């Protein structure tokens, strides 16, 4: 895929460029194509890249597992969105350390895979409402999910549809973002209602190959 074809396919959704595999140079190169939102799954990497690129009008998403000893380092970077809030306990720990309002998504493990973190689909709505009520420094904005780890497109679609259902249920409680779809399945995710996709390898691969 080329950058232009990715831009065309994602023209109606928000794209987060996942830069976890690349360095500062590639991030700067990609930003020339108009990408301004970047995502990292390790707090130290986010902090390092965010600091190195300060002043360039980029914003940062945290999409990984958050260990409690990294919370302060993350919050110092003022990420635009924390996409991977996966428990009430973690939400409370972050809430307690916040001195500003942090936009946050709950991570849902819609495929119910043991290898994945995230709230189970059947507990997601209740957890969302409880976090909303108890964590006043978090502004819950919706849901994030990773599609089923499968070769079977139907299985993947099923997991996206499940996440999208949860998102729809939460819209009356202020949810606006449905973040799902990565390099291998973003077109399917968009068909299933994603309005935010997180693209790493497909995007930086395209960058290497030119427009
Ligand atoms: C790495 C990662 C992505 C991007 O993965 P690609 O397959 O390279 O597009 C998206 N979301 C999360 C949570 C990730 O960890």
């Amino acid at each position: 895929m080329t950058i232009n074809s990715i831009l065309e396919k994602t023209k109606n959704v928000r794209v987060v460029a996942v830069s976890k595999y690349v360095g500062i140079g590639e991030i700067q190169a990609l930003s020339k194509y108009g990408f301004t939102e970047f995502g990292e799954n390790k707090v130290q990497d986010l902090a390092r890249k965010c600091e190195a690129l300060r002043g360039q009008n980029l914003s940062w998403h945290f999409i990984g597992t958050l260990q409690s000893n990294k919370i302060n380092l993350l919050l110092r970077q003022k990420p635009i969105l924390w996409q991977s809030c996966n428990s009430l306990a973690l939400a409370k720990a972050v809430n307690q350390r916040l001195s500003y309002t942090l936009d946050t998504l709950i991570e849902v493990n819609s495929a119910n895979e043991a290898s994945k973190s995230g709230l189970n689909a059947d507990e997601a709505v209740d957890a969302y409402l409880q976090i909303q009520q108890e964590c006043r420094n978090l502004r819950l904005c919706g849901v994030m999910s990773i599609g089923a780890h499968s070769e079977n497109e139907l299985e993947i679609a099923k997991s996206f549809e499940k996440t999208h259902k949860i998102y729809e249920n939460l819209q009356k409680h202020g949810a606006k973002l449905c973040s799902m779809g990565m390099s291998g399945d973003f077109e399917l995710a968009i068909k299933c209602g994603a309005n935010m996709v997180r693209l790493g390898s497909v995007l930086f691969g395209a960058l290497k190959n030119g427009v």
Side-chain angles (χ1 to χ4, degrees):
M1 256 183 243
T2 61
I3 298 257
N4 281 337
S5 67
I6 297 168
L7 284 170
E8 175 62 26
K9 290 173 199 291
T10 58
K11 63 182 178 220
N12 297 320
V13 303
R14 218 164 126 188
V15 177
V16 178
V18 176
S19 49
K20 66 190 185 197
Y21 310 115
V22 303
I24 306 296
E26 285 106 317
I27 295 170
Q28 277 176 310
L30 192 70
S31 72
K32 304 239 157 60
Y33 291 95
F35 295 91
T36 58
E37 300 190 69
F38 290 86
E40 290 285 336
N41 68 340
K42 296 212 173 74
V43 174
Q44 302 95 305
D45 291 344
L46 186 149
R48 183 169 51 80
K49 293 174 188 177
C50 176
E51 272 161 31
L53 292 160
R54 220 179 271 299
Q56 305 214 14
N57 273 325
L58 306 181
S59 47
W60 296 87
H61 293 241
F62 185 66
I63 61 173
T65 304
L66 180 56
Q67 292 161 311
S68 40
N69 63 347
K70 299 285 169 16
I71 294 174
N72 288 338
L73 181 59
L74 176 65
L75 297 185
R76 253 182 266 140
Q77 315 310 317
K78 299 237 166 93
I80 188 174
L81 186 63
W82 173 31
Q83 297 207 13
S84 43
C85 176
N86 56 24
S87 74
L88 177 63
L90 185 61
K92 283 182 174 170
V94 172
N95 181 66
Q96 205 170 39
R97 290 173 170 81
L98 267 167
S99 58
Y100 57 90
T101 305
L102 177 62
D103 283 353
T104 300
L105 305 181
I106 56 161
E107 180 176 357
V108 186
N109 181 0
S110 290
N112 241 321
E113 289 163 336
S115 57
K116 259 183 216 159
S117 63
L119 294 151
N120 288 331
D122 54 9
E123 59 177 357
V125 169
D126 283 348
Y128 191 96
L129 298 178
Q130 202 170 358
I131 292 168
Q132 200 164 49
Q133 200 147 69
E134 296 185 31
C135 303
R136 293 312 173 119
N137 295 323
L138 300 179
R139 185 192 289 125
L140 284 185
C141 305
V143 299
M144 182 272 258
S145 188
I146 296 174
H149 184 74
S150 168
E151 298 289 309
N152 182 342
E153 192 155 309
L154 275 175
E155 282 297 306
I156 305 171
K158 230 193 283 170
S159 70
F160 285 149
E161 281 157 9
K162 204 187 255 187
T163 303
H164 191 257
K165 261 280 157 26
I166 295 166
Y167 166 66
E168 283 183 324
N169 285 332
L170 290 170
Q171 278 180 318
K172 57 178 170 293
H173 301 286
K176 292 186 168 57
L177 294 173
C178 181
S179 172
M180 52 186 198
M182 311 180 6
S183 291
D185 55 20
F186 72 97
E187 293 169 82
L188 183 60
I190 292 169
K191 273 191 212 138
C192 296
N195 58 15
M196 175 179 274
V197 295
R198 309 176 309 274
L199 306 182
S201 39
V202 74
L203 207 45
F204 287 98
L207 180 70
K208 225 184 300 170
N209 299 330
V211 185

